[in-house]
Amino acid sequence: MRKGRKIVWAAMALIALIIVTASFIKANWIPEKYAVKLGECKEYEPYILVQEAHYTGTGWVQVGDENGYFSTEAYVDVDLTNGDILPLMEMYDKDFANTFLCKVEYRGTVKHDAFDYEIASYDILEWHPVYPVLRDTILPNWMYPKGFMTKREIGQ
């Protein structure tokens, strides 16, 4: 009787381990949106590179364009008219803020409540994460692929 219980408990533990492993793989290793490398970006022109930034009034800063990345001092706030299509971090940490390549249509400049001056406004036509995709996790970074975002990460 005791031996039978041990076998049942061992089988249940094995099934639980398989379920947890499958859930981890599905959540973290099934690609939904592949990252682009800056050398592959010509087909998306005109584009801008943006990052989420909670210390600004708009929540988004432009960190680059077709010519590459700007210096940190040259980052500018931008108004993204449909910026809610970009994934937002659950807990904002500037060290893990992903960069997004956004194929855009320029809408002109707009007055924003947070600034005394006008800022550029864009409509996002298409977006892609820029390689490497950064993740703030308790597990080691090598356990997570840097070449794509998952369905959970992009909010679908």
Side-chain angles (χ1 to χ4, degrees):
M1 185 81 154
R2 280 194 153 158
K3 188 175 184 178
R5 284 186 182 169
K6 287 182 180 179
I7 291 173
V8 169
W9 280 107
M12 288 175 38
L14 182 61
I15 290 170
L17 180 63
I18 290 169
I19 290 171
V20 168
T21 302
S23 297
F24 179 80
I25 289 171
K26 182 179 181 201
N28 297 295
W29 289 353
I30 305 291
E32 183 66 26
K33 194 151 187 105
Y34 286 95
V36 295
K37 295 184 179 179
L38 284 184
E40 306 166 344
C41 296
K42 291 291 182 206
E43 65 189 77
Y44 302 106
E45 291 181 1
Y47 69 83
I48 60 172
L49 302 172
V50 298
Q51 283 183 352
E52 185 180 0
H54 284 216
Y55 57 85
T56 70
T58 64
W60 295 99
V61 291
Q62 182 179 353
V63 299
D65 59 18
E66 293 90 354
N67 299 316
Y69 281 96
F70 301 156
S71 67
T72 307
E73 299 81 34
Y75 288 5
V76 292
D77 290 277
V78 290
D79 176 59
L80 302 175
T81 58
N82 57 342
D84 57 342
I85 66 170
L86 295 173
L88 299 172
M89 297 172 69
E90 292 175 15
M91 297 283 293
Y92 178 73
D93 182 342
K94 66 181 171 84
D95 295 330
F96 295 97
N98 282 300
T99 302
F100 300 100
L101 177 145
C102 297
K103 186 173 183 174
V104 293
E105 183 177 307
Y106 182 67
R107 294 286 186 193
T109 59
V110 296
K111 177 75 173 118
H112 193 278
D113 295 339
F115 306 103
D116 294 333
Y117 52 90
E118 292 190 343
I119 59 173
S121 180
Y122 298 95
D123 189 26
I124 300 170
L125 305 175
E126 185 179 332
W127 70 271
H128 302 277
V130 174
Y131 185 88
V133 173
L134 305 174
R135 295 172 175 90
D136 185 12
T137 66
I138 59 172
L139 298 174
N141 285 336
W142 58 264
M143 293 185 77
Y144 297 92
K146 297 185 182 337
F148 60 82
M149 294 182 95
T150 63
K151 186 179 270 192
R152 178 181 52 84
E153 291 169 328
I154 64 173
Q156 288 186 348

